[in-house]
C-alpha cells in the first residue's frame, strides 16, 4: 500500500499543516522584538526575560505545577485501581455504573464538571465544615477526579491487550493476590501508568474552566492568569510562555513514546 | 501407591481472585467511592440547587428545607421557576440550539479533515505510522488554552491568515474572521482534531484491505469502493470520533470566549456568565441540568459503542 493517491496525500498534508502552522507561528512570534505582535521587528529574547520577571505568572506557574504533580500522582493511583478493577475483577455489583463513571468525565463539558464540583464543595462545607474554603485542596480533588478517568482508560486498554497467562502462572506458583499485583501486573502496566501520569500532569496544568470554578481567592493557577491576560488581546510574554511549555511537553512526549516503544519491543519480540 | 489425581482444571485467575472477597471489595470500593463522591453526587447537588431560588446570601441560594423553630416543622421549598424561566425566554433556547449547531458543523468538518489523515496513517509502513501518529498526538498534549490562543493572532485583521490571503490576491481587504462564528468553528476543529483521528485510525487500521481489492476486482470504481466498503467498515470509528468531538464541543467555553464575537451564543458561555457575572447559582444549575439531559443520549450511545472502537 505504498502508492497512495495524490488527493489523499494532499488532503492529509493539508491536515498536518493545519495542525502545526499555528504552533510554529506562535513560536516564531515569541522571538519577535516588536511589541506589536503582528509586526516583525527582528529576533529578540526580550519577552523571555520579561516573562521570568513577571511575578504574577511565575507564582501562578508554581501553584499550577504543585497542583499538577499532586493530582497526577493521586489520579495515577486511583485510576490504576479503577482500570484494574474494571478489567481484572470480573463481574461485581455496580460494575456497569462504575464503567460509566469512568468514561463519562472524558467527554463531560468542563463547565458542568466545574459547577457541580463547586456546588458539592459548598454543600460539604456547610454540612461538615470541610473543605474549609476553596483553594489548592479543592482544585487537587477536582483535577484528580477527571484525570483518574484518563489513567483508567489507558490502564484498562493496556490490561486488555496483556496476556493473562503471566499472571496465571504466578498464581499457579503460589503468589498471593497482593504480591501478584505488585510483582507481575504492576511492572507490566507501568508504561501505561507512566503515560497516564504524564497525561494527567499536562491536563491538570492546562485546565482553566474547572479550576476557575473550584479555586478560591489568591489561588490563581497559570491558565487562569493566562486567560485573564489573553482575553484582552495577544501579548508577547504569553507567546514566550507558550513556546516554553510546548517545548517541555514535546520533549516529554517524545521521550515517553521512545520509552513505550522500547518497552513493547522488549515484551513482544 | 497410586498418585491421587491432581485436579485437572486449574482454577482460573479470576476464580482465584474471587476467593479473596474482602480484599477484593476493598480494592473495588476505593476508586468507586471516590467517583461516587466527586463525580456522581455533585450532579445530585446541582439538581437540588436548580430547584432553589437565588438570594443574596452565602451561599447565594435558598435552602430547600426550611426549619421553623417555633412550630418545629420543616417545610420543603421547591421551585421550578428556574426551569420555567429557561423555557420561557427565547435567549436560552437560542443558546442551546446555536451550541448544538456549532458543535454539529464543527464535528462534520473535523471528520472531513481527520479522515484522510487517519486513512493515510493506517495505510503507512510501521515506521512512518509511528512518526505520523506521534505528530497527531503531540498537539493534543500541548496546552489547549494556548492552542486556542495561537489562533487569536493568526485570525486578526492584520494576522497571518489575512496577510497570506491578500498576498495570494484572493482578497483585497482583510476579512473579519476573529470574533465571528467562523473563528469558533476553526478553533473547535483545530483543538478536537486528534480526538477524531485516533478512533478513526483504530478502526481503519483493523480493516481488511482485501475487501477493497475484491470490490475493485469486481469492477467498482475507487469512489464506489470507498462509499460502499470503506465507509461502512469505518462506521464504529466515525461514530466514536464524532461523539468525542461533539459532546464536549456543545459545552465549550474557552473557544467561544476567546475566538467568538459577543453575539456568538454558546450555552457553556451562558452558564459561565450566569454563575460568575450574575451570581445566579440556581439558574446556572438549571442550565447545567438541561445541558446534561441533552447530552445524556449521546453519552450513553458512546458508552455502548466504544467497546468496538476505542
Amino acid at each position: 500500500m505504498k502508492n497512495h493517491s495524490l488527493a489523499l496525500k494532499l488532503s492529509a498534508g493539508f491536515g498536518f499543516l493545519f495542525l502545526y502552522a499555528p504552533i510554529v507561528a506562535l513560536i516564531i512570534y515569541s522571538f519577535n522584538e516588536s511589541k506589536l505582535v503582528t509586526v516583525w521587528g527582528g529576533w529578540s529574547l526580550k519577552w523571555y526575560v520579561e516573562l521570568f520577571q513577571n511575578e504574577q505568572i511565575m507564582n501562578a506557574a508554581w501553584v499550577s505545577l504543585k497542583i499538577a504533580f499532586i493530582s497526577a500522582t493521586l489520579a495515577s493511583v486511583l485510576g490504576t485501581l479503577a482500570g484494574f478493577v474494571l478489567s481484572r475483577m470480573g463481574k461485581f455489583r455496580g460494575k456497569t455504573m462504575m464503567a460509566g463513571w469512568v468514561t463519562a468525565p472524558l467527554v463531560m463539558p468542563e463547565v458542568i464538571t466545574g459547577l457541580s464540583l463547586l456546588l458539592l464543595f459548598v454543600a460539604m462545607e456547610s454540612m461538615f465544615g470541610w473543605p474549609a474554603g476553596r483553594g489548592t485542596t479543592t482544585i487537587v480533588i477536582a483535577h484528580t477526579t477527571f484525570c483518574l478517568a484518563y489513567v483508567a482508560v489507558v490502564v484498562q486498554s493496556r490490561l486488555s491487550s496483556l496476556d493473562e497467562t503471566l499472571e496465571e502462572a504466578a498464581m499457579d506458583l503460589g503468589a498471593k493476590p497482593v504480591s501478584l499485583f505488585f510483582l507481575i501486573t504492576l511492572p507490566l502496566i507501568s508504561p501505561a501508568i507512566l503515560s497516564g501520569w504524564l497525561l494527567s500532569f499536562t491536563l491538570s496544568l492546562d485546565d482553566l474552566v474547572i479550576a476557575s470554578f473550584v479555586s478560591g481567592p489568591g489561588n490563581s493557577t497559570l491558565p487562569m492568569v493566562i486567560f485573564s491576560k489573553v482575553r484582552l488581546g495577544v501579548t508577547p510574554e504569553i507567546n514566550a510562555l507558550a513556546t516554553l511549555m510546548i517545548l517541555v511537553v514535546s520533549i516529554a512526549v517524545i521521550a515517553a513514546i521512545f520509552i513505550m516503544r522500547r518497552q513493547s519491543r522488549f515484551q513482544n519480540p | 501407591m497410586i498418585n491421587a489425581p491432581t485436579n485437572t482444571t486449574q482454577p482460573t485467575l479470576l476464580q482465584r481472585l474471587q476467593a479473596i472477597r474482602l480484599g477484593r471489595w476493598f480494592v473495588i470500593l476505593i476508586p468507586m467511592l471516590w467517583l461516587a463522591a466527586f463525580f456522581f453526587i455533585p450532579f445530585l447537588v446541582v439538581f437540588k440547587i436548580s430547584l432553589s431560588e437565588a438570594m443574596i446570601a452565602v451561599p447565594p441560594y435558598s435552602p430547600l428545607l426550611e426549619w421553623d423553630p417555633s412550630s418545629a416543622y420543616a417545610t420543603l421549598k421547591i421551585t421550578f421557576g428556574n426551569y420555567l424561566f429557561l423555557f420561557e425566554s427565547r435567549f436560552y433556547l437560542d443558546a442551546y440550539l446555536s451550541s448544538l449547531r456549532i458543535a454539529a458543523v464543527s464535528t462534520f468538518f473535523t471528520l472531513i479533515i481527520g479522515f484522510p489523515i487517519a486513512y493515510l496513517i493506517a495505510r503507512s509502513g510501521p515506521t512512518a505510522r509511528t512518526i505520523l501518529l506521534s505528530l497527531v498526538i503531540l498537539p493534543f498534549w500541548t496546552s489547549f488554552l494556548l492552542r486556542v490562543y495561537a489562533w487569536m493572532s493568526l485570525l486578526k485583521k492584520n494576522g497571518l491568515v489575512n496577510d497570506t490571503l491578500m498576498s495570494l490576491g484572493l482578497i483585497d481587504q482583510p476579512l473579519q474572521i476573529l470574533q465571528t462564528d467562523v473563528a469558533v468553528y476553526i478553533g473547535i476543529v483545530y483543538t478536537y482534531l486528534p480526538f477524531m483521528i485516533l478512533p478513526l485510525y483504530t478502526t481503519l487500521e483493523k480493516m481488511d484491505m482485501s475487501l477493497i481489492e475484491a470490490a475493485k476486482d469486481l469492477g467498482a470504481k475507487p469512489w464506489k469502493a470507498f462509499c460502499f466498503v470503506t465507509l461502512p467498515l469505518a462506521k464504529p470509528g466515525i461514530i466514536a470520533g464524532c461523539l468525542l468531538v461533539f459532546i464536549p464541543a456543545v459545552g465549550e467555553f474557552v473557544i467561544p470566549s476567546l475566538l467568538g464575537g459577543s453575539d456568538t451564543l454558546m450555552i457553556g458561555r451562558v452558564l459561565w456568565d450566569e454563575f460568575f457575572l450574575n451570581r445566579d447559582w440556581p439558574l446556572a444549575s438549571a442550565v447545567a441540568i438541561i445541558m446534561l439531559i441533552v447530552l445524556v443520549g449521546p453519552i450513553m450511545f458512546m458508552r455502548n459503542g466504544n467497546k468496538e472502537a476505542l
Side-chain angles (χ1 to χ4, degrees):
Chain A
M1 280 302 127
K2 278 275 156 269
N3 48 345
H4 306 297
S5 72
L6 189 66
L8 178 67
K9 275 186 182 163
L10 275 179
S11 45
F14 168 76
F16 278 110
L17 182 73
F18 178 64
L19 272 178
Y20 279 91
I23 296 175
V24 173
L26 191 73
I27 292 174
I28 292 173
Y29 275 109
S30 76
F31 296 105
N32 188 0
E33 165 83 45
S34 167
K35 169 104 189 151
L36 298 163
V37 184
T38 43
V39 179
W40 185 253
W43 297 91
S44 158
L45 284 175
K46 85 175 191 209
W47 302 115
Y48 289 85
V49 178
E50 297 225 346
L51 173 70
F52 284 104
Q53 282 165 355
N54 187 325
E55 235 171 74
Q56 192 196 9
I57 293 182
M58 286 297 118
N59 286 340
W62 178 235
V63 169
S64 279
L65 285 171
K66 267 194 301 196
I67 290 173
F69 185 83
I70 304 170
S71 312
T73 310
L74 270 174
S76 299
V77 174
L78 290 166
T80 305
L81 275 178
F84 182 79
V85 162
L86 286 175
S87 55
R88 284 288 192 270
M89 288 290 200
K91 282 200 171 67
F92 57 87
R93 200 179 297 236
K95 182 177 178 178
T96 324
M97 199 170 58
M98 182 168 164
W101 292 350
V102 165
T103 38
L106 302 181
V107 289
M108 190 58 69
E110 290 167 319
V111 282
I112 298 185
T113 314
L115 176 72
S116 64
L117 277 166
L118 170 73
L119 296 180
L120 175 84
F121 291 140
V122 170
M124 279 170 69
E125 193 184 354
S126 66
M127 270 195 275
F128 320 115
W130 186 92
R134 289 172 295 282
T136 318
T137 317
T138 46
I139 304 178
V140 165
I141 293 176
H143 283 183
T144 303
T145 308
F146 84 88
C147 292
L148 183 170
Y150 283 89
V151 178
V153 168
V154 177
V155 166
Q156 224 180 327
S157 79
R158 173 76 184 154
L159 276 171
S160 66
S161 69
L162 207 65
D163 200 354
E164 277 189 41
T165 48
L166 275 174
E167 288 156 274
E168 278 172 17
M171 289 229 101
D172 288 343
L173 295 170
K176 292 269 182 310
V178 174
S179 49
L180 166 78
F181 179 77
F182 282 103
L183 295 177
I184 308 293
T185 316
L186 198 61
L188 285 172
I189 60 175
S190 59
I193 299 175
L194 177 70
S195 70
W197 188 91
L198 284 170
L199 188 57
S200 304
F201 188 81
T202 58
L203 285 169
S204 166
L205 206 57
D206 191 29
D207 167 65
L208 164 74
V209 176
I210 296 172
S212 298
F213 275 99
V214 299
S215 77
N219 262 291
S220 292
T221 62
L222 188 58
M224 287 161 75
V225 172
I226 294 174
F227 185 69
S228 67
K229 280 189 184 301
V230 303
R231 210 170 199 186
L232 308 170
V234 180
T235 57
E237 280 158 298
I238 300 297
N239 287 350
L241 177 67
T243 303
L244 288 179
M245 286 176 74
I246 290 167
L247 201 72
V248 171
V249 167
S250 309
I251 292 171
V253 171
I254 292 166
I257 292 169
F258 190 69
I259 294 169
M260 295 270 277
R261 260 176 66 108
R262 263 189 30 187
Q263 281 267 346
S264 66
R265 206 178 302 153
F266 173 69
Q267 272 156 19
N268 331 304
Chain B
M1 205 176 123
I2 304 158
N3 278 333
T6 51
N7 55 337
T8 44
T9 51
Q10 286 284 330
T12 64
L13 181 64
L14 192 72
Q15 285 165 334
R16 289 181 182 211
L17 279 171
Q18 271 169 343
I20 310 109
R21 292 217 90 98
L22 200 70
R24 182 177 133 86
W25 271 106
F26 182 69
V27 171
I28 292 173
L29 280 177
I30 295 173
M32 198 143 156
L33 287 178
W34 180 285
L35 284 165
F38 298 116
F39 183 70
F40 181 66
I41 293 175
F43 292 132
L44 302 181
V45 179
V46 174
F47 183 63
K48 188 202 115 186
I49 288 168
S50 76
L51 298 175
S52 58
E53 270 175 70
M55 54 192 258
I56 299 169
V58 178
Y61 51 84
S62 62
L64 277 196
L65 275 175
E66 207 151 76
W67 177 259
D68 182 4
S70 59
S71 64
Y73 281 113
T75 38
L76 189 64
K77 283 180 46 175
I78 288 181
T79 171
F80 291 99
N82 298 310
Y83 291 97
L84 284 177
F85 184 70
L86 287 187
F87 287 117
E88 278 165 6
S89 127
R90 198 63 223 162
F91 175 75
Y92 295 98
L93 188 66
D94 284 347
Y96 281 110
L97 290 178
S98 115
S99 303
L100 291 174
R101 192 197 72 231
I102 291 176
V105 172
S106 315
T107 306
F108 176 74
F109 282 108
T110 316
L111 178 63
I112 299 289
I113 297 176
F115 200 94
I117 301 184
Y119 193 87
L120 186 81
I121 298 175
R123 297 286 152 258
S124 300
T127 316
R129 187 180 291 194
T130 313
I131 294 170
L132 292 176
L133 211 52
S134 313
L135 281 175
V136 169
I137 296 170
L138 199 60
F140 166 72
W141 285 76
T142 59
S143 169
F144 173 85
L145 180 61
L146 292 173
R147 276 182 295 144
V148 176
Y149 163 73
W151 279 100
M152 284 176 73
S153 52
L154 289 181
L155 295 176
K156 274 165 60 146
K157 266 246 158 71
N158 47 3
L160 204 59
V161 170
N162 268 321
D163 282 358
T164 314
L165 290 175
M166 296 235 292
S167 61
L168 289 173
L170 291 170
I171 50 170
D172 311 319
Q173 297 240 324
L175 298 171
Q176 172 73 40
I177 311 175
L178 194 64
Q179 291 170 357
T180 65
D181 286 5
V182 177
V184 177
Y185 294 141
I186 294 176
I188 296 178
V189 173
Y190 180 67
T191 46
Y192 287 95
L193 195 55
F195 289 97
M196 179 66 83
I197 295 176
L198 293 178
L200 278 178
Y201 161 77
T202 315
T203 35
L204 287 173
E205 191 219 358
K206 279 184 275 188
M207 200 172 81
D208 187 357
M209 280 309 281
S210 58
L211 290 171
I212 294 177
E213 312 251 310
K216 282 184 181 157
D217 288 346
L218 293 169
K221 293 248 164 38
W223 66 269
K224 256 195 158 165
F226 179 78
C227 289
F228 294 103
V229 182
T230 312
L231 275 188
L233 285 173
K235 209 173 119 198
I238 294 175
I239 292 173
C242 286
L243 290 172
L244 282 177
V245 175
F246 179 79
I247 301 169
V250 170
E252 188 51 60
F253 164 75
V254 176
I255 297 171
S257 47
L258 287 185
L259 300 178
S262 50
D263 57 336
T264 306
L265 208 51
M266 283 194 81
I267 199 66
R269 212 174 163 189
V270 170
L271 192 157
W272 179 283
D273 289 347
E274 285 303 340
F275 186 85
F276 285 103
L277 301 182
N278 301 342
R279 288 196 51 87
D280 192 337
W281 292 16
L283 191 63
S285 304
V287 170
I289 292 292
I290 301 284
M291 199 196 309
L292 210 56
I293 291 171
V294 171
L295 292 179
V296 92
I299 290 176
M300 298 298 275
F301 193 63
M302 183 195 75
R303 282 251 316 111
N304 294 335
N306 75 354
K307 290 193 180 70
E308 302 164 60
L310 288 179

